[in-house]
Every structure is written in structure tokens, then in C-alpha cells.
Amino acid sequence: MSVPPQIESGAAPRVHKFGGSSLADAECLRRVAAILRAEAGEHALIIVSAMRGTTDALIALAEHATRAQPSWPAELAALRDRHLRCAADLLGEQDQHGAAWLSEQFADLHEWLSALAVLRTPNREAGEYVQGLGEVWSSFLLAQYLRAQGHACARLDAREVLVIEHGELGAAVDWDTSRANFVSWRAANAQPWCVVTGFIARTADGRNTVLGRNGSDYSAAIFAALCDARDLTLWGDTDGVLSADPRLVPEAVPLASLSYDEACELAYFGAKVIHPQTLTPAIARGLPVRIRNTFAPEHPGTAIGKSGVDAASPVKGLSAVRDLAVLTLEGAGMIGVPGTAERAFGALHDAGVSVVMISQGSSEHSICCVVREADAARGRAAFERAFAGELARGAIARITTQGGISVIAAVGDGMAGQPGVAARLFGALARSSVNIRAIAQGASERNISVAVASDDAARAVRAAHAAFWLSPQTISIGVIGPGKVGRALLAQLEAARPRLLRERQLDLRVRAVATRARMWLGEAAQAPRWHEHAAAASDLESFARHVKAEHLPHALIIDCSASDDVAEHYAAWLAAGIHVVTPNKHAGAGSRERWQRIRAACGQGARFRYEATVGAGLPVISTLRDLLDTGDELLAIDGILSGTLAWLFNRYDGKAPFSALVREAHALGYTEPDPRDDLSGTDVARKLVILAREAGVLLDLADIEVESLVPAALRASDPQSFLDGLDAFDAAIAARHAQACAKGAVLRYVARLDRSGKASVGLVELPQAHAFAHLRLTDNIVQFTTRRYHDNPLVVQGPGAGPEVTAAGVFADLLRVVGS
């Protein structure tokens, strides 16, 4: 009874099955007829589901009638009117036969329901008879329409042919009896086309029954086997089997082909397009199956056969099953004891608990399995009964359940024998801050399943989908501080987004922007006009919650402010799995305790990148990191780290007053709004603290010896008074300059860290031959003296200030996060 036999026939027919959405109304039925004219060929079997929503309505009717709820007659009338309207629209008001036949059907159903209302006792046979009527009605409507269109078409109630037996593994077909019945029926009804009811069957003793939810697909495969079909096409409302559930991954794509094994794995783990049992008869006889879209028949759909076409990714698709729980049995008394697993799963079998996934550590200290959440309490009780003795004497330490679990399955024949697939999956989940509760992989290597918290399921599927290049890598981005740098960054992101999406499968979505006073929270399409929609008062906690959207795999906040208060949030964001990129120096140069909290939070998977805090777009921090990571020994760091101060001392030759150059730099926008922020040396000192900490020297700002160029008498005045009063101090700078010139030297404002950890920032005299003596006007320069680069230090030089280059440095850090 397990293998579908082949039968002798003439031309091998084609089998087409249409789901409920394909038969929802008269217009849909006309579309189906058009498809059949184009696709069915000379001989065809057409298996149909009930009109969309009908089976659910019939189940509800039976339940309501059994409970004698007064609403059921009105519900029945509404269902009858829907079918009569469809018949009138499809067949015409003059077709009295169709209306009379349907009215008789509904009158018969009314008697069944009335009997249930009197008995008030659920009856399985009656219930299954009622819920199978939708296919009877839809098959009648389609057959009548096809005949009206001039097609020679028979109609088969599957209960006249199909005999099944229900068992633990579902509906098993009595192939011999069903074949004999089908041969006899076809001999008496020899029409080229035949419309067949899906879903319904009868038992060996003649009782009405059904094949279970989505059983029409199974019916189609059964009848394809019975008639030795050429192929089977399942018509629905999607363009084939998708690479993931589009509700979780909107970018999911139709798969061109799948092997039987791949399709079975995806179907078992929740892919709704195909029922797990459907492929059993197809596999037994190598029947080609194709999934197509009734509403887009021009699309080729997904072909399913003995082998799928090789794909660029080892993973073809991902599925997710929700509403699960992890059931764990653990204890030292299990180690090396034969039969423990048998007892455990035997207990679950006896309790009627189905196991979705199994995971056992090689130490044998624990066995965990994933079950339906609704069955978790019953499963735990079954374990407690089965191992009562071991629990009493401590051989079993504990039996636990954890609800709110989903299983994510990555499926693909290309996974077999290919190293690194699991690593890519687990890496993608780690980068998305998704914790894995249990892991299972079959010996076939075509499936890796992981159990995760249901709250993380959408993010996990999207992250894995992107990791295997099935969809773009999507990053949810929030930008804080849309000043000069922030605006430049937003413009660069908007300009680069189409190219990155096209060339690198990278989907950068700016979904939040915050100023000091207000913020915008929305979706990427609105980002270019965020300022028009920014109405809410700034709240960084709400901002972060919006950026870390559950439906998006990666979240990243870019802080372009100069706020110490914003930097205070970094550790919490990183701990929550939100990457942080910033040119804000307050985190790297602020309190040592906060810096250490930030670095510790990075150990949980989120990335912290801050290249632009030193040297804007120059690769200063990354160069230092590369030197240290490759085992070099740092001897000293020297640098000109302020574009403003570089410009001032590159220009200053003693001819024009220093105060005049400061005013010119301020007018050109080279300085901060208050030039003292540049001249005080504090900004340079912060950069040196960042470099020192990166080198492992834990300095604080107070440890830096800083020479301020702001005269003490002007430090407390307002910015304009400072500029007006600066002339009085020109003589001091002129004297320093003359002294340097007398020695054949130049003045430069330099930051220095030596191997002992001593750090200073100030105005120094350098020889004319020094690398710092001949810079372009606003260039930054950093010189690394190391064991390897001792006689000829390594120099990084280039523009170290300006909104565009700083924004580019931030953008580069963002791309490093994505690629890490």
C-alpha cells in the first residue's frame, strides 16, 4: 500500500491543481479556465480546492451547530448566497440547473447541521463530510463553466475512487483499491478533461473522510500517480516556492528549481506553498512538479524534481516554525546509560507529543528536543513520569521547558560537503545579536536547524537570508547630529545607496534622524525629507528602539554630534546589539571607566568604529591597529592632529599678525564657532588620548600636558571679545616664531606620545627637514615610530578636517561594520 502503482493509459495526461485563492470568485474561475485552455493539453485532470475561505466557514458551521449557537442558520445562508452569486455570475442567470443543484446541496447541508444542533454531540464522520463540501461545490462550478465553454469535461467526486486509512503518519492511500476504482470510473467517463474534488476521500468501510489541512495538494499528487501523469502543476497565489516567508523577508525571491529533498525539508519546516505529504507519490515515480501563480501565469514558477539546478548559494531557502518550546532532560546519571533517548522519546510518543527537532551534546549529559508549545507541559509531565526514579535519586538533575521558541531551518543540497556553511549561518545570527538555544544538522547536510527566541525569529531569518546572498544585507540606520558632518553623511548615503544595493547587495536604510531638540522616526523612503517630518522631541531611548527594528537584521547608530551625553548611551546600545559608528571624540577620550564599559559591550557582537575621531577620513586608527595586531612594537606617536592649527602655522610667517590669521580662518569656516575650541589644544589632546588607549596606554585627558594658545586673560570672555582682544597677544607668538627662525626651524602644534606613556600637546620647534615642516594647508599628519619603522617612521598624511572627508571616514567605518 505504500507505493503508487502505474496504470496503463493512452496519452499521459497533465494534472493541474488549483488552490482556494485561485477559485475565490467567478472572475478567478474564468481565469482558471483560460489557463487550462493554454496549459492543459489534450488530456488533463484538474484537482480543485474549495473557494477561498469556504472550508473554514464549513468547520465553523459544524462547530456552531453542534453547540446549538443561534448564528449558524445566518452563516449558512451567507455561504449559500456567495455560491449562488458566483454561479449566476459565471454561468448566467438563465442556467437554472446550476442554481437548482447548489440549492439542493445547501438544503441537504441544512439537514446535517440541524441534526448536529439536536444531538449536540461532535461526530467525526459528520464533521468531515461537512468540511469537504466546499470542493464538491467548486468542482461543480468549474466543470459546468468548462462545459459551457465547449470543453468535453467529466467531473469526479474523489470519494467514488480514493480510499485511504488514517494512521500516525497521516493519510495512507490504499493504492490497489484506489487504482481499480479509478480505472473503472475512467472507463465509464471517458472525457479528455476531468475536474476532480481535492481534499476528500473515503475509508475502506465507506465512511466520508478528508486528507487533512492542505490535503488538496496531496490529492493532486495521488491522482497524478493514479493516472500516470506526465507532470503535476500546483497553481496558487505566489510565483513558486520562495526563498523565505515574505512576511518575514519582503525581499524573498522565487526559486527556479528545487530537488525533492530540498522541497520536503522546506515544506516540513513551514514553507506554506507546498504540503509535506504532497511529494510522497511524486518522489515514488519521479513525477515532475511545478509550483505556479494563477495570477501571473507568465511566470515559470518553481520546478521540483529529482535534482535542482545548481545555485550560487549553498542554501536555497529558509523556513521558520513558531509557537514551539524547548524541552530539556539533563543529569550526570544519563552519561553512558544505553536506552535513555529511547525512554525519553517513547514517553513523548505515548503522550502524543510530536518532536520537531532533537539536539544532544556528545557528553550525553543532556537531551533537548523542540516540541509544539501547546504540548510542552504534557511532554514535561511525560518525562517526569518516565524518569521518576532517576529524579528521586538525583541521577536526573532537572527537566525544564522554555517556551517562546522558533526553529529556523537553512535548506539546500549545495550544503552537503561544503565547509563554512554553518559558520556563515552562525556568524550572521551573532552579528544580529540572535542567541541560539539549540542546533541540529542531519547527516545529509542539506539542513541546519537552530532554535531561537521567537522575538528574534524575524531578525534571524532576515540575517541568514542576507548572509547567503538570497537578499540584500539590510542595515537599519539612525543618525544623530545632522550638522555639517551629519548632513554631508546623509547626502553621501543617499547618493551611494542605489549602487551599493545593485553591486554589493547592501541595503542601507536611514530610518531615524535626531537633532538636540527633535527627531524623525520613519522608513527609508522619507529619509531625504526627514526635516519635514521631524516633530517629536528627541528621546534617545525611543530613537534606539526604532532603529533596532525586530523585522530588520542589523541596527546601527551613527553619532555625528559632539555631545558627551550621547556618548553616555554607547555601552547600552552596543549591549543591545546596535552597532555604533562615530566621529564624536567624547567616548574615546572621556572617562576611562566609560571607555572600558563601551569596549566590554563590544564583546557581545555589536561593533564600535571611530576612525573619524582622529584625522577625519585618514586611516590613522586602523594603521595603528594593524601595526599592533601584526606584532610590531610602538615607540612613539607624533602628529599634527588639528586642521585649523595646521593651517594657522603653515600660513604664519611673522609678516601678518597671528590674530589676523585666526580671524581669517574663522571667516573661512576652518575653526569652530568659538576659535578657542581649536586654540586651547583640548581637541588635539582628546585625539591623543584616543590613540594612546588604542595602543594600550590607558591615559585620561588630565594626563596630557597641554599648551593652550588661548591667553589666560581671554579664556572667560565671549567669542567675539576673544577675537577682538587677541591682538594684544600677537607679540608673544611673534617672539616664538622669531626664535624658531633664528635656529632654522619652524613652529608646529604637535601631539606626542612616547614609549613610556608620557603625552604632550603644544607648540614645538621643528627643523626645516622634518616631515611636519612642509604640509599642505589643512593637512593632518601622524608619524608612527615602531620597532619595524624605526629609522624611517611610517607616515599617514592628508586632509584631516572638513565635513565631506569626515563624513567619508564615517561612511567607510559603516562599510567596515557591514563587512566584519
Side-chain angles (χ1 to χ4, degrees):
M1 295 174 61
S2 61
V3 178
Q6 297 185 6
I7 64 171
E8 297 298 328
S9 64
R14 313 191 80 162
V15 176
H16 295 263
K17 179 264 173 180
F18 292 91
S21 60
S22 303
L23 304 163
D25 53 32
E27 182 58 35
C28 287
L29 285 161
R30 281 190 280 267
R31 183 182 294 110
V32 166
I35 289 172
L36 289 172
R37 284 193 291 272
E39 302 276 352
E42 185 179 351
H43 299 279
L45 261 64
I46 304 142
I47 287 76
V48 294
S49 297
M51 291 171 63
R52 183 174 57 196
T54 298
T55 302
D56 287 339
L58 288 167
I59 292 171
L61 270 172
E63 291 176 352
H64 295 167
T66 301
R67 297 173 189 163
Q69 292 183 359
S71 62
W72 74 260
E75 294 167 7
L76 176 62
L79 190 61
R80 180 195 61 213
D81 291 346
R82 177 189 174 193
H83 282 77
L84 287 172
R85 284 196 304 273
C86 179
D89 187 355
L90 189 68
L91 304 174
E93 296 287 351
Q94 69 278 11
D95 182 74
Q96 298 300 314
H97 171 65
W101 186 90
L102 282 170
S103 296
E104 185 178 329
Q105 286 283 311
F106 277 94
D108 182 60
L109 175 56
H110 186 277
E111 292 183 13
W112 277 86
L113 296 173
S114 298
L116 290 173
V118 172
L119 295 172
R120 296 197 181 187
T121 302
N123 180 286
R124 176 173 177 175
E125 182 179 358
E128 292 190 346
Y129 168 76
V130 170
Q131 66 180 282
L133 288 173
E135 281 72 12
V136 175
W137 304 333
S138 64
S139 65
F140 172 81
L141 288 170
L142 180 59
Q144 284 290 98
Y145 182 69
L146 290 174
R147 290 168 187 151
Q149 296 296 305
H151 299 286
C153 179
R155 175 175 165 271
L156 169 61
D157 185 326
R159 291 172 294 193
E160 298 180 46
V161 168
L162 185 55
V163 179
I164 68 167
E165 178 182 344
H166 290 287
E168 289 187 351
L169 298 180
V173 179
D174 181 341
W175 289 105
D176 293 336
T177 303
S178 299
R179 183 186 70 164
N181 292 342
F182 183 71
V183 169
S184 298
W185 191 93
R186 285 294 278 168
N189 299 272
Q191 301 288 348
W193 287 3
C194 179
V195 178
V196 184
T197 57
F199 184 53
I200 59 178
R202 66 178 173 86
T203 61
D205 57 2
R207 290 183 293 107
N208 295 306
T209 191
V210 295
L211 295 173
R213 276 298 192 181
N214 299 307
S216 291
D217 283 355
Y218 190 25
S219 295
I222 292 168
F223 277 99
L226 290 177
C227 72
D228 194 19
R230 187 183 350 161
D231 53 29
L232 166 62
T233 302
L234 304 176
W235 295 88
D237 55 8
T238 64
D239 292 333
V241 179
L242 301 182
S243 55
D245 185 338
R247 293 170 298 181
L248 299 179
V249 184
E251 300 87 0
V253 295
L255 301 173
S257 69
L258 290 169
S259 69
Y260 290 134
D261 291 326
E262 289 171 328
C264 284
E265 294 279 7
L266 286 171
Y268 177 76
F269 280 97
K272 302 299 184 186
V273 177
I274 190 166
H275 189 271
Q277 279 187 311
T278 300
L279 293 174
T280 305
I283 294 170
R285 60 184 303 276
L287 177 70
V289 179
R290 190 172 286 274
I291 314 293
R292 296 181 66 183
N293 190 345
T294 308
F295 304 95
E298 69 280 0
H299 196 284
T302 301
I304 302 174
K306 292 180 180 179
S307 61
V309 176
D310 290 342
S313 170
V315 169
K316 283 279 189 73
L318 295 118
S319 287
V321 183
R322 290 181 175 270
D323 301 321
L324 303 175
V326 174
L327 179 58
T328 304
L329 176 71
E330 57 184 314
M334 297 167 54
I335 299 174
V337 178
T340 303
E342 179 186 7
R343 290 172 60 194
F345 295 113
L348 294 178
H349 173 269
D350 293 342
V353 175
S354 177
V355 176
V356 175
M357 181 180 129
I358 302 167
S359 180
Q360 180 176 12
S362 58
S363 68
E364 302 183 50
H365 181 265
S366 68
I367 298 173
C368 82
C369 57
V370 178
V371 301
R372 304 289 173 186
E373 193 160 20
D375 296 337
R378 193 162 74 254
R380 179 172 180 168
F383 273 6
E384 289 171 346
R385 287 192 301 271
F387 294 95
E390 286 84 353
L391 284 166
R393 63 176 183 268
I396 298 295
R398 64 188 63 84
I399 298 170
T400 60
T401 56
Q402 180 183 9
I405 295 293
S406 293
V407 168
I408 312 298
V411 173
D413 287 341
M415 296 163 62
Q418 181 165 328
V421 176
R424 199 191 305 185
L425 174 63
F426 300 152
L429 298 184
R431 287 190 297 275
S432 299
S433 301
V434 175
N435 186 40
I436 298 173
R437 310 301 175 89
I439 302 167
Q441 180 173 17
S444 69
E445 299 186 69
R446 70 171 53 91
N447 178 323
I448 299 176
S449 301
V450 295
V452 303
S454 289
D455 289 345
D456 296 333
R459 194 163 70 254
V461 173
R462 292 200 68 151
H465 201 263
F468 291 104
W469 303 102
L470 299 172
S471 66
Q473 187 89 323
T474 305
I475 317 293
S476 174
I477 298 172
V479 176
I480 298 172
K484 292 180 180 178
V485 173
R487 286 197 301 272
L489 175 65
L490 288 168
Q492 290 176 12
L493 288 169
E494 183 65 22
R497 189 170 185 259
R499 178 182 58 80
L500 291 171
L501 185 60
R502 181 178 65 252
E503 296 178 5
R504 293 184 53 179
Q505 286 281 287
L506 186 58
D507 185 4
L508 302 180
R509 300 186 186 182
V510 176
R511 302 178 59 252
V513 179
T515 68
R516 185 176 301 173
R518 61 196 183 115
M519 66 181 180
W520 162 76
L521 308 179
E523 293 302 328
Q526 293 179 308
R529 300 180 307 282
W530 68 268
H531 51 281
E532 299 174 11
H533 306 284
S538 282
D539 172 3
L540 292 184
E541 291 187 3
S542 299
F543 182 91
R545 281 196 300 271
H546 180 78
V547 172
K548 194 177 188 301
E550 289 303 317
H551 67 285
L552 297 175
H554 303 290
L556 186 146
I557 290 176
I558 302 173
D559 174 22
C560 292
S561 76
S563 167
D564 189 70
D565 291 338
V566 175
E568 193 62 38
H569 290 268
Y570 289 4
W573 291 340
L574 291 162
I578 302 172
H579 307 296
V580 176
V581 173
T582 186
N584 182 352
K585 291 176 279 292
H586 282 279
S591 77
R592 191 184 310 180
E593 182 272 333
R594 180 173 67 190
W595 170 251
Q596 290 171 331
R597 279 193 287 114
I598 290 171
R599 296 303 292 262
C602 294
Q604 301 178 37
R607 304 289 189 268
F608 178 42
R609 294 288 181 268
Y610 44 94
E611 181 72 76
T613 58
V614 180
L618 297 178
V620 176
I621 293 174
S622 57
T623 299
L624 174 58
R625 189 73 264 154
D626 289 344
L627 291 170
L628 297 175
D629 287 346
T630 57
D632 205 350
E633 179 185 356
L634 183 68
L635 303 179
I637 300 175
D638 297 273
I640 293 177
L641 301 177
S642 166
T644 302
L645 293 171
W647 187 88
L648 288 171
F649 287 101
N650 281 328
R651 287 284 309 276
Y652 184 60
D653 57 7
K655 296 176 181 178
F658 185 72
S659 59
L661 284 178
V662 172
R663 293 188 190 101
E664 183 181 352
H666 183 258
L668 292 172
Y670 290 165
T671 72
E672 293 296 325
D674 186 344
R676 287 170 296 186
D677 292 342
D678 300 294
L679 296 174
S680 69
T682 303
D683 184 66
V684 175
R686 287 195 179 103
K687 295 177 181 179
L688 190 58
V689 169
I690 292 169
L691 289 175
R693 289 177 177 178
E694 196 68 27
V697 182
L698 295 182
L699 297 181
D700 287 314
L701 197 59
D703 299 325
I704 309 290
E705 182 183 327
V706 179
E707 178 186 2
S708 173
L709 300 182
V710 179
L714 299 179
R715 290 175 187 173
S717 60
D718 61 80
Q720 189 58 50
S721 297
F722 162 75
L723 288 170
D724 293 341
L726 190 59
D727 301 38
F729 300 91
D730 282 337
I733 294 291
R736 292 281 298 271
H737 178 263
Q739 181 181 336
C741 288
K743 300 175 184 177
V746 296
L747 287 178
R748 295 292 184 263
Y749 197 85
V750 176
R752 179 172 177 79
L753 173 73
D754 65 23
R755 65 189 306 171
S756 69
K758 182 180 178 182
S760 62
V761 169
L763 202 58
V764 298
E765 297 175 359
L766 297 175
Q768 289 281 353
H770 196 281
F772 293 3
H774 305 284
L775 299 178
R776 294 188 179 184
L777 289 179
T778 59
D779 271 8
N780 278 196
I781 185 168
V782 181
Q783 177 177 280
F784 296 107
T785 305
T786 70
R787 177 173 50 79
R788 293 178 190 150
Y789 296 92
H790 182 269
D791 298 327
N792 186 16
L794 179 63
V795 172
V796 178
Q797 178 181 348
E804 292 293 333
V805 294
T806 303
V810 173
F811 200 164
D813 264 351
L814 186 160
L815 296 177
R816 290 187 191 99
V817 168
V818 174
S820 62

